[in-house]
Amino acid sequence: MLFSLIMTMVPGLRTPGSGNAGQAYGAAASSTAVLVLFYMARTLRLQRDETSLQRQELELQRAEMRLQRTELELQRDELRRSAGELHRSAEADMRRLHMELLKMSIGDPELAEVWPAYAPGLSPKENRQYLYANLIYSHSMLVHKLGMANDREMLGHLRYITDTPVFRGYWESARFMRAEMDHASHEHQFAVLVDEALTQTNAQPPAPPVPNLRLIDGQNTEQ
């Protein structure tokens, strides 16, 4: 209102052609309205720009939080992998120690007497052979657990090592031990593979003699 009154005092708005002071006031009021609208539009634009900046800042904050969560997940995964590798390494070391103990008992009859016989009535020679069969079994299971051979590859190997009376006798004598295994454990799963290999071997007819082959210049040639 004050601005409009001032506008009526402008000489250009109070000419004889303009009529009277009321007309001058009307013209001044119109000019004031235009200025007010301009100011409001400018204010709204500034507010809109500020709101847009705030939204962009919030998006950046959300993106940063997502990156932080992703980084934390990666760190947790890395810790889990490290813990798993340490566990597998410790387990492999324990199995190697077990195999070393078996090797010592195989090489020394006095140490072999410390181990219980696998079955009643076994001679020292037979018990030593069973200890060696257990050593082969433990080594094969470790190879499988470390992922150095998959199930299909291991089955071929197991069909080979189980095709002897000594290993079959050892496997049968250790049946009571396998009955106490946790069915979710790798050892139980590997024992199932051994049983499957034995089943496949029993179902196959005796294999014909295999000629001795050697690799010469990239080709298999009978010796």
Side-chain angles (χ1 to χ4, degrees), residues 13 15-28:
L13 296 177
T15 61
S18 64
N20 53 33
Q23 290 176 336
Y25 182 80

Side-chain angles (χ1 to χ4, degrees), residues 109-188:
E110 293 182 358
L111 295 180
E113 293 177 359
V114 177
W115 292 84
Y118 276 91
L122 287 179
S123 66
K125 173 186 173 181
E126 291 171 328
N127 199 60
R128 194 159 54 249
Q129 288 176 330
Y130 280 22
L131 286 170
Y132 185 67
N134 182 262
L135 189 62
I136 295 174
Y137 167 75
S138 298
H139 170 73
S140 302
M141 183 168 58
L142 182 60
V143 168
H144 183 261
K145 186 174 182 62
L146 295 178
M148 300 171 67
N150 57 32
D151 288 358
R152 181 184 59 80
E153 295 167 335
M154 184 53 66
L155 269 175
H157 171 69
L158 291 174
R159 283 196 298 269
Y160 170 71
I161 68 173
T162 58
D163 195 20
T164 64
V166 173
F167 190 92
R168 289 167 182 263
Y170 152 73
W171 192 247
E172 181 61 31
S173 68
R175 184 175 299 278
F176 73 97
M177 300 180 187
R178 297 194 298 276
E180 300 179 0
M181 290 180 182
D182 179 3
H183 285 201
S185 66
H186 172 264
E187 190 169 2
H188 176 267

Side-chain angles (χ1 to χ4, degrees), residues 39-137:
Y39 175 77
M40 291 177 63
R42 183 174 178 273
T43 301
L44 289 173
R45 185 172 66 251
L46 291 174
Q47 289 177 345
R48 186 173 60 251
D49 292 344
E50 184 177 357
T51 301
S52 177
L53 289 173
Q54 290 175 347
R55 283 198 298 268
Q56 292 176 6
E57 185 177 354
L58 286 173
E59 285 298 326
L60 289 174
Q61 291 175 352
R62 292 193 190 100
E64 184 177 357
M65 291 177 66
R66 286 193 294 269
L67 286 174
Q68 290 175 349
R69 284 197 296 269
T70 302
E71 185 177 356
L72 287 173
E73 284 296 328
L74 290 173
Q75 290 176 353
R76 281 195 289 266
D77 290 342
E78 183 63 27
L79 286 173
R80 283 193 290 267
R81 281 194 295 270
S82 298
E85 290 173 1
L86 287 173
H87 178 76
R88 286 190 294 272
S89 177
E91 185 175 3
D93 289 340
M94 290 296 295
R95 291 195 179 278
R96 290 191 189 98
L97 176 60
H98 171 71
M99 289 187 285
E100 286 296 324
L101 292 172
L102 288 176
K103 288 167 62 178
M104 292 171 63
S105 64
I106 293 169
D108 189 333
E110 293 182 358
L111 295 180
E113 293 177 359
V114 177
W115 292 84
Y118 276 91
L122 287 179
S123 66
K125 173 186 173 181
E126 291 171 328
N127 199 60
R128 194 159 54 249
Q129 288 176 330
Y130 280 22
L131 286 170
Y132 185 67
N134 182 262
L135 189 62
I136 295 174
Y137 167 75

